[in-house]
Each structure stands twice: as C-alpha cells, then as structure tokens.
Amino acid sequence: MPQALWLLMKLRLFGWGRRWLRNVKTVKGAILTVIFGFFTVGWLALMVFNAILAPAGTVTRIPADQVNRYAPLVLLAYCVGMLGFGRGQTPLSFTLPEVQFLFSAPFSRRQLLTFKLVAQLLMTLPAALIFAFIGRSFAGMFLSGLFALMLILMFLQFFAIALAMISCTIEEVAYTRLRRLALLGVVALIAAAAIVGWRARAADDPLETLLRIESSDVFQYGLMPLRWFVQTMTATSIDGRFLGSAAGAIGVNLVLLVLIYALDGRYLEAAARSAEVRYTRLEKLRSGGLAGFSSGPAKAVKYRTPDPPSLGGIGPIAWRQFIAAVRSRRVLGVLLFVTLMASIGPIVAGVMNKGAMDESLPWILAGMGLMMSVMMSQTLAFDFRSDIDRMEVLKTLPIPAWRIVVGQLLVPVVCTSVYQIALTTLVYLILGHIGILLAITVLMSWPVNLLLLGIDNLLFLLFPTRMAAANPGDFSNAGRQMIVTLGKLMGMAIGVGIPVALGAITFAVTDNWPLTIAAGFFPSLVTCALPIPLVTMAFQRFDVARDTPP
Amino acid sequence: MSLVVEDFHKNYGDVVAVAGISFEVPPGTILGLVGPNGAGKTTTMRALAGILAPTRGHLAIDGHDLAGDAIAAKAALAYVPDDPKLFDQLTIWEHLQFIAAAYRVADWKPRAEELIATFELTEKRDSPCSDLSRGMRQKVAICCGYLHEPRVIMLDEPLTGLDPYGIRVIKESIRRRAAAGAAIMISSHLLNLVEDLCTALLILNKGRQVLHATMDELKAQVTADGRAESLEELFFRLTRDAPAAAVVPVSEV
C-alpha cells in the first residue's frame, strides 16, 4: 500500500483526536464527555474484572461442547442470510471524500482495496477486544477468545465483500442466476440432510428429526470450516487442537481474501455509486433523524391534503409535521419491527411455560410495547429535532413561540399515544386480562407522552446536536444521550410521581375509584404540560448562528 | 493531445447517459462543456477521472490510455467535482500534505504556501475543513487540484459559492495554466463564464454531442452570416429548440 494512504489514515486518526479535544475544551462538551466517560469507564472496568480478574469459580461458563455445536449454526445462518438478502451491490464502503480524492488519484484498484481492507481490519481489533470481554463465558481462554473473535470478524467482512465482488464481476442477471443456483445448492444440502434425518427419525417428533439432520454427516462436513473458528475460541490451551483449528480458520479467511483480490475488477463504480447514496442518507439522517431519513417520497404524491386549520398558528405547524409523519412509512415499519422483536422473548417464554404465563403474558407484552414506544422517541422525532436546519424559518414565522412549540409537539404526542393505545387494545382483544391497563393507557398516554417528548425537545434545544454523530470520536454526543435518558427518568418521577401520589392519598382517604382517578388525572395534566413553557423559553433563546451544530 | 475521447458511451442499465461522444483537448486549450441538466457532462468528467468505467470507447489523458495505464493517466490529471467533499477531520494544510504524498510532489511546501496565499486561505490553513464555508471548500479542492501541476485539469462548476475575488483568482489561474500548456475542461451552466474564458466549446444534449468547435470558428461563422448571436442564444437554439439531439457542423451553426 502506498505511503500516501498510510499518511491519510494517520492524518484522519489525528483529526478525530483533534476534534474530540476541541469538544472537550468547551464547557458543554466537557460536561457531556465526563458523563459519558464516567459510565463507560465503569462499565469497561466491570467487564475487564469479570473477564480477567474475577476468581475462576465466580464466572459462569457455557460448556464448550454446546458452543462448538450451536455457534457454527449462527455463522451458517449469517452466510445464508447474506446470500439470500445481502445487498450485493456495495462491496466496500468508501466515503464521498474518499471517492473524490482517491479514485481520481494515481492509485491502482488493488491499492485502494488494500487500503480499505486494512482500515476495516484495524477497526476489527478494538471490536474484537470488547467482544472478547463480553463473550468471556463462551471462550476457553481470554486470549483464544480474542484471537478467534478477530478471525470471526474478519470472516464476516471477507464473506460479505467476496459475495459483493461476485455480484460486481458477473453481470446483474447472471448474478441473480448464480445466487439462485447457490441458494438451490444450500436448499439441496438441507434437503439431503433432511432425508438422512428423516430416514433415521425417532417417532414423529419434529424437534428430534431436526436434531438428526443437524447431526448427520453431510451437515457436519458442511459446517466444518465454520466450526474451526468456534473451536479456536473454545480451546483451553495452546495445543495441537488449537493450532489446527486456528490454521483452518486462517485458511478460510485466506481463501476469501484471494477470491476478493481475484474478483476486484469492477468494484470502483459500484462503490462510488453506493457512497453517494449513503452520503445522501446520512445527510438526511443528520438533518432530521429517522424522521428526516424516511421522509421525502421517491414517487410523486398522488393525493392532496386539505388546508390546515389556523388555530392561531398551531395548525399549520402541526399540519406540516403531520404530513411528514404520514409520508414516513419506514418509521412505522421500524416501530413495528422493534415491537415484534421485543415481544419474541415473552412469547417464547409463554409457550415454554404455559401455565404460569397465561395470566402474566398479556401484561408483559403490553408493558414491553409501551416501554419500547417510549424508548423509541428518536424514531418519532417529528418536532424540533427534525427541524435543526429549519430553525431560522421557524424563528421568522409570525406566530407566538409557545404556539410554535405546541404545534411542534402535537404530532409526535398524537402518533406515540395512538400507537400505544392501538397496541394495548390489540393485546387486550387477543389475550384479554389487561382492561385496567387499557383504560390507563387511553387516559394517561397523552399527558405522559407530552411530558417525555417535551423533555426530549427541551434538552435538544439546550444541548443541540445532530441526530447522527458525524464523528466516531464524538463522545459528547453519547454523553448527551445519557443526560436525555436521565432527564426523562427525572421528569417521569416528577410528572407522573406527583399525580400518582395524590391519587394514592385520595384512595387511602376516600376509598373511591372515580375520585382517585380524578385526583391523579387532573394534576397530571398540569405537571405533564410543564415542559411547554420551558421548551418555549429554550426555543426563544436558541441562537441559530451559535447553537446550530456543524 | 492532452485529452482524447473517442466514441465514449456510458449506460446505467437501460438508461443511456452518454451515447458516443468524441472530442480532443489539445494543450493550452480551455474547453467549455455545456449542456442542460442530464446532458452527460458530469458523467463524462467522472469517466475521464477514472471514477466511472466507460461502457464503450477510448479515453486517454496526456497520452496514457485510461483503461490500460490508469495510474500514469491519473497522475497527469486534476479533477475538481461540482460539490467537492473534503475530509472533515483534516486541515487545509493536511489535505495538501496528503495530495503531495499521493502524487509524489517533491518540495511541495513552498508551492502549497503560494496556493494557499493566492486563494486567501492562509488564516484558515490549520482549521479542520468541517469549519469552512462552501466557497472555501471549493478553493481548497482547487488548491489540491493545482498542487501537482497537472497536464490536464477538469473543473465541474468551478465558481459555485465563490466571492468576486475568488472568481477572479480562479479565472486568472485557469488562463495562466492554459498558457503554460495545460489542457483544461470546464463544465458550467454559466454561459458568460464559458464565453469569457474558453477557447473551445462542446455542447451536449441528452447524452449526445451537439456541437464541438473552437470559439474562433464559432465567432467567424456567426460573423460571416451577419448575425449577432450570443452564446446563450446559440445554446438555446441548439439544445431547446432542436427537435432531437444531433451533431451540428460548425458551418451550419
């Protein structure tokens, strides 16, 4: 690799450090970095202690034979997933400055490929170190775990790149055919294993049949290259077995590497194209978070919306955010996906332990759904957070500041509340049991969401930042996220705690439910609306020239 | 010839971006590349810069075939895109340091100092590029392009975001480099810039070459016909009023 590319790596590394130092030099940046550092150092110290210093008996280890058996299946699932669903058109991730400066500079294709691979591998080292600490219970030794994880991370990258190189080398149609053929090959392998398993099936238990397939010779030979990685990780000493597995894993990576260099003919154009697409997405993300990222339909809009009501200026502000929300179908998709993912655990637990979970499952599901929707306020940022580049326009509008604030908060509050009520209603209709939770959700979701989103916007206006960090060294952004979470918890404690306490006192004194609900509900309207004047003040003092983040 | 394009085609799937254009830019020539949006100007420049692979055709820079001897061709070239993206973490000086290493420029520091001073970037020399305005970023990209004294320079909309002083400096630098023997290609929608600066003109429309002539030939033709047609009027006549993109000989302009 030419000296110039090493120099570029060095300069960029120094640049990140310089930016981090510059952040720390400001009061806000220093506070946020210290907060982030405090939590992160504590977490890292705990991990290091558990991984290296904790007495042998205190760390729970997963038996090596279990890891050796199931971990290769996870790797296989990744490979099949990449083959079936991986986007084969983006072999290597170049940034737009890299495309503009490096592609037209006197570097060969292979030099650029090496530059990118080296950069990715250097990033693998710290990632492997962290995973080695986290995954200490899987590994035989810390060092074998670290080494194996480095090999595994390399394998994952090389496999994806090699697959993408194939798609770039062979024409689109041929690639699709090839992919179909490869998938057919995988299906044939599974079918062969299935037949073997079927022949040797025990009774009619499908689980037993699957286990037979998994233990068949065909399947086991197919898994062998992936098992080398796992056996390297679970080795308990540097012996012949460890060296053999490690040599096998290194061999697999080398084969992939040779394949990548052999097929590097046409990756530059695909990389340039994907860099542009990625840059556009990142800009949208930085400008408006997921809300901005997913807005802006590619096709012309086929319907027209009615004029918004004025409501003293609140109407047009809310209307604009409403339109953005309606046209952000991906946001709803992300929300549904995360909710479904969060529900898998309780559902599996419910199936495994049916008797005990019958009563509690609806509560768990509904509770998790509510919590996820609260945690995902980043996704529903149809408010000031998605308007960071439009603050000038908002400030010049002939509308009082508090009405702008109400208009901005209205849509995310409505979206989140409607989503939560719909989710709770669905769980109630399917599983029952949660009538009281449904009633509380219908009544309380609006003020509570107003409180939470108000705090989000207040902290955003006080500590403005882009919704996607521009710099990997931007620790102050991570510190800010921690402050937002703490602020929400404190806000919840005050905004919800006071009405709940009043309700509890009323119930204790009167033993009357309607009075209790009234005693809790009406004060909650006041406490949860408290952020509105605070956000208004923060909006008024927001200095577009000084506070707009780069 | 410093820059040779023969029968260049570029397709994106079924979409034809450029359909068989051919032209040459001799040393000392400033070629204006004009055309409506989607005419294929940027695609042509990006292919010449080695970023895009041509679907068909032959591209050569300073006598080096871009397909066969890409590194030698690129070493003789400077390409400044229409919206230059700099490495945000790097300072202006570090950009020049990297370019000097990439193009193996010996004794680059005095030249870099001179370029920075010429483009009024001295005060921002050690500032990260994330802090620079649009115009300053444009100037940095042009400084990077000039540092290795390229034989061929391609500038895509070079005046975007520049102040009047910056515009004058860039115009002068382009003229000076052309006079020193560099072949320069400028893509721009600013027809008065092209008329003022360029010595040759290439008009593209819908991926096809509509007109290629020197400015002297064009002026002579227009004067011979007794017309007083500006470049703007000519451009509209050839691109908007023409029913389909087809090559127009200079004698029929």
Side-chain angles (χ1 to χ4, degrees):
Chain A
M1 194 166 77
Q3 284 293 317
L5 294 174
W6 287 111
L7 174 70
L8 180 63
M9 276 191 204
K10 193 180 88 177
L11 291 174
R12 290 172 87 179
L13 196 65
F14 285 153
W16 282 328
R18 193 165 45 220
R19 180 179 278 198
W20 177 73
L21 274 177
R22 209 166 59 151
N23 260 343
V24 174
K25 280 179 186 168
T26 63
V27 177
K28 265 186 201 175
I31 292 171
L32 294 173
T33 305
V34 165
I35 289 169
F36 172 75
F38 178 75
F39 284 103
T40 309
V41 168
W43 177 66
L44 281 174
L46 195 67
M47 275 199 323
V48 171
F49 177 79
N50 276 334
I52 298 173
L53 301 174
T58 60
V59 179
T60 312
R61 298 234 186 278
I62 296 168
D65 58 332
Q66 297 282 307
V67 180
N68 284 336
R69 183 175 175 186
Y70 294 114
L73 295 174
V74 176
L75 288 177
L76 179 69
Y78 167 83
C79 296
V80 174
M82 284 301 298
L83 198 64
F85 308 107
R87 291 189 174 183
Q89 299 304 313
T90 52
L92 288 163
S93 294
F94 284 90
T95 63
L96 218 45
E98 283 172 344
V99 170
Q100 292 187 354
F101 277 95
L102 305 186
F103 285 21
S104 61
F107 300 123
S108 70
R109 230 173 30 230
R110 290 206 167 151
Q111 285 171 338
L112 292 179
L113 179 62
T114 308
F115 164 71
K116 215 59 208 177
L117 287 175
V118 168
Q120 286 190 359
L121 292 182
L122 287 177
M123 296 293 283
T124 302
L125 291 174
L129 194 63
I130 290 173
F131 286 139
F133 284 130
I134 295 172
R136 181 70 185 91
S137 54
F138 295 95
M141 298 180 292
F142 176 73
L143 280 179
S144 66
L146 177 64
F147 183 61
L149 280 164
M150 279 170 56
L151 290 175
I152 288 172
L153 290 175
M154 283 181 198
F155 167 77
L156 300 181
Q157 290 179 28
F158 289 167
F159 185 82
I161 296 170
L163 207 62
M165 287 294 188
I166 292 170
S167 78
C168 284
T169 306
I170 304 169
E171 287 298 324
E172 182 76 30
V173 177
Y175 171 70
T176 306
R177 279 180 194 152
L178 184 79
R179 185 165 59 174
R180 283 179 190 156
L181 281 174
L183 273 173
L184 275 175
V186 172
V187 170
L189 195 71
I190 292 169
I195 291 165
V196 172
W198 185 257
R199 279 181 182 163
R201 72 183 186 277
D204 288 329
D205 186 352
L207 191 65
E208 187 64 27
T209 308
L210 277 177
L211 290 173
R212 294 262 178 193
I213 293 169
E214 189 257 332
S215 57
S216 66
D217 288 344
V218 178
F219 202 84
Q220 288 304 315
Y221 280 122
L223 272 187
M224 187 68 81
L226 301 178
R227 183 159 288 123
W228 288 329
F229 290 95
V230 180
Q231 283 174 345
T232 307
M233 184 162 67
T234 53
T236 50
S237 62
I238 311 290
D239 52 13
R241 183 174 163 272
F242 169 81
L243 293 175
S245 312
I250 291 170
V252 172
N253 280 348
L254 282 177
V255 168
L256 287 174
L257 202 57
V258 169
L259 193 65
I260 289 168
Y261 276 95
L263 299 176
D264 75 332
R266 289 175 57 87
Y267 79 87
L268 282 183
E269 188 169 333
R273 203 167 41 237
S274 76
E276 276 179 18
V277 171
R278 215 170 30 254
Y279 180 81
T280 310
R281 283 182 183 163
L282 186 67
E283 284 298 294
K284 280 188 176 181
L285 204 61
R286 280 167 51 71
S287 172
L290 272 178
F293 172 69
S294 54
S295 62
K299 292 174 184 171
V301 176
K302 289 178 182 167
Y303 54 89
R304 287 182 188 278
T305 48
D307 289 343
S310 173
L311 302 175
I314 296 172
I317 300 284
W319 178 82
R320 185 183 63 87
Q321 295 287 15
F322 176 71
I323 297 288
V326 167
R327 290 177 187 163
S328 302
R329 287 182 290 273
R330 280 184 207 170
V331 170
L332 188 65
V334 170
L335 211 56
L336 282 174
F337 176 76
V338 173
T339 307
L340 283 174
M341 288 295 109
S343 311
I344 286 175
I347 288 172
V348 170
V351 170
M352 305 283 281
N353 189 9
K354 200 167 184 315
M357 292 296 284
D358 269 355
E359 282 292 319
S360 54
L361 185 63
W363 288 91
I364 294 173
L365 281 178
M368 286 193 75
L370 290 177
M371 187 50 75
M372 288 314 299
S373 59
V374 170
M375 298 299 287
M376 287 190 64
S377 66
Q378 294 280 80
T379 314
L380 292 166
F382 300 105
D383 45 38
F384 284 110
R385 293 168 295 166
S386 59
D387 273 341
I388 187 68
D389 290 326
R390 287 179 279 272
M391 295 299 276
E392 259 176 345
V393 178
L394 290 174
K395 278 188 164 277
T396 53
L397 290 175
I399 301 171
W402 73 268
R403 289 183 184 171
I404 292 178
V405 169
V406 172
Q408 290 280 64
L409 294 180
L410 201 58
V411 170
V413 168
V414 170
C415 283
T416 314
S417 303
V418 166
Y419 178 77
Q420 289 168 342
I421 291 168
L423 185 82
T424 319
T425 308
L426 191 70
V427 175
Y428 173 71
L429 290 175
I430 296 172
L431 299 171
H433 300 315
I434 54 164
I436 292 174
L437 182 65
L438 178 59
I440 292 173
T441 308
V442 169
L443 205 62
M444 294 299 291
S445 58
W446 313 91
V448 171
N449 286 326
L450 176 62
L451 175 73
L452 292 175
L453 287 156
I455 294 169
D456 253 332
N457 279 270
L458 177 66
L459 291 171
F460 170 77
L461 291 169
L462 292 177
F463 301 99
T465 185
R466 299 275 169 192
M467 292 190 75
N471 189 352
D474 192 1
F475 296 128
S476 63
N477 199 31
R480 188 190 165 282
Q481 292 300 334
M482 289 175 176
I483 283 193
V484 169
T485 308
L486 283 175
K488 277 183 177 178
L489 290 174
M490 286 172 65
M492 283 282 280
I494 296 168
V496 180
I498 292 173
V500 166
L502 286 173
I505 292 167
T506 309
F507 187 75
V509 173
T510 63
D511 199 17
N512 181 320
W513 269 111
L515 260 180
T516 302
I517 290 173
F521 177 67
F522 290 109
S524 77
L525 292 182
V526 177
T527 54
C528 293
L530 265 180
I532 291 179
L534 296 175
V535 176
T536 304
M537 281 161 62
F539 172 60
Q540 282 171 324
R541 69 169 285 284
F542 185 94
D543 185 328
V544 175
R546 188 194 60 201
D547 295 333
T548 304
Chain B
M1 285 295 168
S2 288
L3 200 154
V4 178
V5 175
E6 282 175 9
D7 194 30
F8 168 56
H9 291 252
K10 180 65 193 175
N11 300 350
Y12 297 104
D14 296 334
V15 179
V16 179
V18 180
I21 63 172
S22 301
F23 61 92
E24 293 174 348
V25 187
T29 302
I30 305 172
L31 175 77
L33 182 61
V34 296
N37 291 330
K41 307 184 294 293
T42 299
T43 300
T44 304
M45 283 195 157
R46 300 187 90 201
L48 281 163
I51 297 173
L52 304 178
T55 307
R56 202 170 84 207
H58 166 69
L59 308 174
I61 289 165
D62 200 31
H64 305 285
D65 179 17
L66 204 55
D69 193 4
I71 293 186
K74 288 176 179 181
L77 170 79
Y79 169 54
V80 181
D82 58 338
D83 184 12
K85 298 282 183 286
L86 307 178
F87 295 106
D88 278 346
Q89 306 90 355
L90 269 59
T91 63
I92 295 175
W93 187 254
E94 286 168 344
H95 271 85
L96 293 166
Q97 189 182 356
F98 166 66
I99 291 294
Y103 288 83
R104 298 170 197 273
V105 184
D107 197 22
W108 61 276
K109 286 180 184 169
R111 207 182 298 168
E113 295 275 17
E114 186 191 331
L115 280 168
I116 284 179
T118 307
F119 285 94
E120 291 193 314
L121 294 168
T122 310
E123 276 182 28
K124 295 278 183 182
R125 193 187 113 134
D126 295 316
S127 299
C129 287
S130 54
D131 291 354
L132 303 182
S133 66
R134 170 75 176 82
M136 283 187 181
R137 293 165 81 86
Q138 184 79 17
K139 287 178 182 176
V140 175
I142 291 172
C143 286
C144 289
Y146 284 172
L147 185 70
H148 65 285
E149 299 289 342
R151 303 284 306 146
V152 177
I153 301 171
M154 295 193 301
L155 306 166
D156 199 349
E157 294 292 355
L159 304 186
T160 310
L162 293 179
D163 55 19
Y165 180 82
I167 291 173
R168 179 190 278 189
V169 168
I170 286 182
K171 279 183 174 178
E172 282 173 1
S173 72
I174 290 171
R175 284 198 185 97
R176 205 165 51 245
R177 276 165 199 277
I184 297 176
M185 190 158 100
I186 300 171
S187 167
S188 182
H189 290 299
L190 303 174
L191 296 178
N192 54 356
L193 166 79
V194 173
E195 202 161 16
D196 175 37
L197 205 58
C198 296
T199 56
L201 181 70
L202 175 67
I203 299 180
L204 300 183
N205 191 19
K206 295 172 188 169
R208 291 177 187 280
Q209 184 172 325
V210 179
L211 176 77
H212 180 212
T214 66
M215 294 304 261
D216 288 341
E217 284 172 339
L218 274 177
K219 279 174 191 162
Q221 184 62 36
V222 171
T223 310
D225 290 351
R227 286 178 281 150
E229 193 177 36
S230 68
L231 178 60
E232 188 176 286
E233 287 163 333
L234 175 71
F235 175 80
F236 279 111
R237 188 157 59 79
L238 292 180
T239 57
R240 203 173 67 174
D241 302 338
V247 181
V248 179
V250 183
S251 57
E252 290 178 19
V253 166

